[in-house]
Amino acid sequence: AMSAGEVRDRIVRARAAQKEWAKSSWGQRRLLLKVIQRFILENQDTICQVSARDSGKPLVDAAFGEILVTLEKIKWLLRDGERWLKPEKRAAGLMMFYKKATVEYHPVGVMGAIVPWNYPFHNVFNPLLANLFAGNALVVKVSEYASWSSNYYGRAIAACLEAAGAPADLVQIVTGYAEAGNALVTGGCGKVVFVGSTGVGRAVMRAAAETLTPVVLELGGKDPFIVLEDADLGQCVPMALRGAFQSCGQNCAGAERFYVHEKIHDRFVDGVMQAATKLRQGWALSTGIDCGAMCMPAQAQYVQSLVDDAVAQGAVVKVGGKMNLDLSAGQFYPPTVIVDVTHDMRIMREEVFGPVLAIVKISSDEEAVRLANDCDFGLGSNVFGSKARALRVGAQLEAGMTTINDFCATYMAQSLPFGGVKHSGFDRFAGVEGLRGCCNMKSVVVDGIPFIRTDIPPPLQYPVQDCAFAFCKALCHMFFGLNLREQAMGLCMLAKAFLLPAPAASKKD
């Protein structure tokens, strides 16, 4: 674990490297991204194996969550990144029609990131790609539960920087506990992105307040998965299984609350059970494994407590629901399906972050919306049904993201921002908004028409004339009158203001 002093030293080194990198061309930044892209394509096996060892997920889940989304982000940045970071033309307004107004996007300098353990490769490379393309340096603190994999990823990053001719200190990986995290937030980064729990997010905000460091908080969620009565079960049942059990349920935007219409409830449960009873659990690198282990110590016991509470209040476990004693050597919790769940149960209130598919029977679209919004979190959401109906329901959900007839597709669409509302945090990373969030915005105004410039009118020059206020009122009517008649009146008022006699020079006694 690094000390606070070591973290601050890393920030200093990153800042020095960023001053050089800020001068790099778009071509050099694209070259760096292509080098990283080539590294990923040629080392998929190793990347996924390292991720699986450190986080417990099977190789297929690593391919989904580590590789595919990272390559998609690179492709989007190569295609559209420069477009969204170039100066953007804005309207100068009616009175300043002769001006050119633009917004410029300048790198914040050093971006700090505190990322979780659940996707150790993507959680490092996701902020890396956007910030380096925007001209920043990055200091990223990895979770203490995913420090081992950061050694390999750090060496890969160093090799990519060298191959692209980028400064060696441009990316710094920090390891440690709360002391290291606090030093990252308070040690001079231009901005900080935190991905993690709500409780730690509050601590990050308190620390950032001392130095007025802007923060982006993504604090997890408890995403609803709504199945309307006209949903295609052949499509949504496999999606539900993936949403609940991918990476053993350890996903920020994982599906945790399943609301299924009573008319298709039993068929939905039957479809889920056909697959859930056949899922295989074990060591992540074993062959033929569907679910791996829980990464966090004691997380399996926590999930068990939620299931036990639900059962005590009348819920019924259809499969799983008890820690697998045959796998007692590891941190395993079996894929679990539980029905007859209500909002009185903890499992509907607290983030599970485990392989539990908890089903609530609903009787109407209105009930689905009411229950989905009855939650402290508001990250993602998913609705299945006829397109128009699902869109109507989705529009009423209190969430940062909604996917219709798919699961978490908003994250694969890398042009979209990622983030939530309520206790899921605020601001966004990813997408256009996230990319621009790597920058400080600067508004710029300059003369846009040759030989036309701004000169202060004589009535308004110091010392102002007696007609100055009348002159201002006339301008308002002339430019902003509600019709031509009022605008013409304003023009007449302006002429009258000019004709008023100038004040006589005062005499001193």
Side-chain angles (χ1 to χ4, degrees):
M2 293 184 180
S3 67
E6 289 175 300
V7 174
R8 294 190 183 97
D9 178 67
R10 295 295 185 99
I11 295 172
V12 170
R13 288 161 57 184
R15 185 179 298 114
Q18 189 274 335
K19 292 184 183 303
E20 179 184 348
W21 183 247
K23 303 172 186 176
S24 62
S25 66
W26 295 115
Q28 186 176 6
R29 297 179 192 181
R30 276 191 289 268
L31 172 63
L32 175 58
L33 264 58
K34 289 177 181 178
V35 169
I36 295 172
Q37 182 180 20
R38 174 54 58 195
F39 159 73
I40 295 172
L41 289 169
E42 293 182 353
N43 294 276
Q44 295 182 58
D45 288 3
T46 305
I47 292 169
C48 290
Q49 288 166 2
V50 170
S51 170
R53 283 181 180 273
D54 217 11
S55 64
K57 64 171 63 66
L59 291 178
V60 171
D61 292 353
F64 268 109
E66 307 280 19
I67 302 296
L68 285 172
V69 291
T70 305
L71 290 173
E72 185 70 44
K73 188 179 191 75
I74 293 174
K75 193 69 174 178
W76 178 73
L77 286 169
L78 289 172
R79 185 184 64 242
D80 294 338
E82 181 180 349
R83 167 192 171 194
W84 293 111
L85 291 179
K86 281 188 170 181
E88 180 182 26
K89 185 178 180 180
R90 299 286 180 90
L94 183 59
M95 288 190 67
M96 300 182 68
F97 66 91
Y98 57 93
K99 296 286 190 180
K100 178 184 176 183
T102 56
V103 177
E104 295 178 352
Y105 297 92
H106 298 270
V108 298
V110 178
M111 179 70 79
I114 302 176
V115 299
W117 44 264
N118 55 342
Y119 289 94
F121 175 79
H122 180 71
N123 287 343
V124 169
F125 278 76
N126 183 43
L128 181 153
L129 293 166
N131 279 282
L132 268 56
F133 192 80
N136 289 326
L138 175 71
V139 180
V140 55
K141 181 194 174 296
V142 298
S143 169
E144 56 269 34
Y145 300 106
S147 296
W148 175 78
S149 58
S150 70
N151 292 319
Y152 168 63
Y153 300 141
R155 292 195 301 271
I157 291 167
C160 290
L161 292 173
E162 182 179 7
D169 286 334
L170 197 58
V171 178
Q172 301 288 335
I173 294 180
V174 169
T175 58
Y177 301 96
E179 178 187 4
N182 182 269
L184 179 62
V185 175
T186 61
C189 290
K191 189 174 185 178
V192 172
V193 176
F194 172 78
V195 182
S197 69
T198 302
V200 179
R202 291 191 177 101
V204 169
M205 281 191 68
R206 287 193 293 269
E210 293 298 319
T211 53
L212 293 180
T213 301
V215 295
V216 179
L217 299 181
E218 193 275 279
L219 306 179
K222 195 164 183 64
D223 293 4
F225 188 109
I226 298 173
V227 184
L228 305 175
E229 62 182 300
D230 57 356
D232 182 345
L233 292 182
Q235 180 197 28
C236 77
V237 167
M239 295 279 188
L241 291 160
R242 176 62 63 180
F245 300 138
Q246 177 170 314
S247 296
C248 218
Q250 298 168 112
N251 305 288
C252 296
E256 293 208 359
R257 298 179 292 145
F258 292 81
Y259 301 104
V260 184
H261 197 279
E262 59 187 5
K263 290 185 178 180
I264 60 171
H265 173 272
D266 292 348
R267 287 190 290 133
F268 176 85
V269 173
D270 289 343
V272 165
M273 289 299 295
Q274 288 178 22
T277 55
K278 300 174 184 176
L279 294 180
R280 301 152 297 179
Q281 189 170 36
W283 183 49
L285 293 179
S286 300
T287 57
I289 291 298
D290 300 300
C291 285
M294 312 293 289
C295 184
M296 290 279 286
Q299 183 67 14
Q301 289 85 346
Y302 170 71
V303 175
Q304 186 67 62
S305 73
L306 297 179
V307 172
D308 290 345
D309 172 79
V311 170
Q313 297 188 62
V316 177
V317 173
K318 302 290 286 185
V319 68
K322 290 292 182 182
M323 293 178 64
N324 194 333
L325 298 180
D326 293 333
L327 298 169
S328 58
Q331 298 170 177
F332 294 96
Y333 195 85
T336 297
V337 178
I338 184 169
V339 299
D340 297 339
V341 178
T342 70
H343 269 228
D344 296 323
M345 303 170 183
R346 288 172 55 206
I347 205 164
M348 281 289 111
R349 299 290 183 182
E350 301 176 25
E351 191 173 18
V352 179
F353 231 62
V356 179
L357 201 161
I359 302 172
V360 177
K361 186 186 294 185
I362 57 170
S363 59
S364 67
D365 296 1
E366 292 73 21
E367 184 182 18
V369 171
R370 178 177 60 81
L371 291 175
N373 290 338
D374 182 26
C375 182
D376 289 337
F377 294 100
L379 187 57
S381 57
N382 311 272
V383 186
F384 287 80
S386 60
K387 184 177 179 180
R389 184 175 181 179
L391 281 168
R392 284 196 300 272
V393 170
Q396 301 174 67
L397 300 180
E398 297 169 355
M401 300 166 288
T402 297
T403 297
I404 303 298
N405 290 324
D406 204 339
F407 169 68
C408 204
T410 50
Y411 199 61
M412 279 300 290
Q414 281 292 314
S415 65
L416 296 178
F418 185 91
V421 298
K422 299 194 281 191
H423 287 189
S424 289
F426 49 77
D427 210 338
R428 300 294 187 266
F429 63 80
V432 175
E433 292 76 10
L435 181 61
R436 287 179 165 179
C438 299
C439 301
N440 292 319
M441 292 183 290
K442 177 186 286 187
S443 299
V444 178
V445 174
V446 64
D447 291 334
I449 300 176
F451 309 113
I452 299 181
R453 69 179 191 182
T454 299
D455 285 299
I456 297 178
L460 303 182
Q461 294 180 12
Y462 285 121
V464 298
Q465 300 177 10
D466 287 347
C467 65
F469 183 60
F471 182 88
C472 291
K473 290 197 298 181
L475 285 177
C476 292
H477 285 289
M478 186 178 74
F479 278 102
F480 306 112
L482 298 179
N483 51 54
L484 289 175
R485 179 176 175 276
E486 186 174 357
Q487 292 165 9
M489 180 187 71
L491 183 60
C492 293
M493 292 171 62
L494 193 67
K496 182 178 179 182
F498 268 114
L499 294 175
L500 288 175
S506 61
K507 295 183 179 179
K508 294 182 179 180
D509 296 330

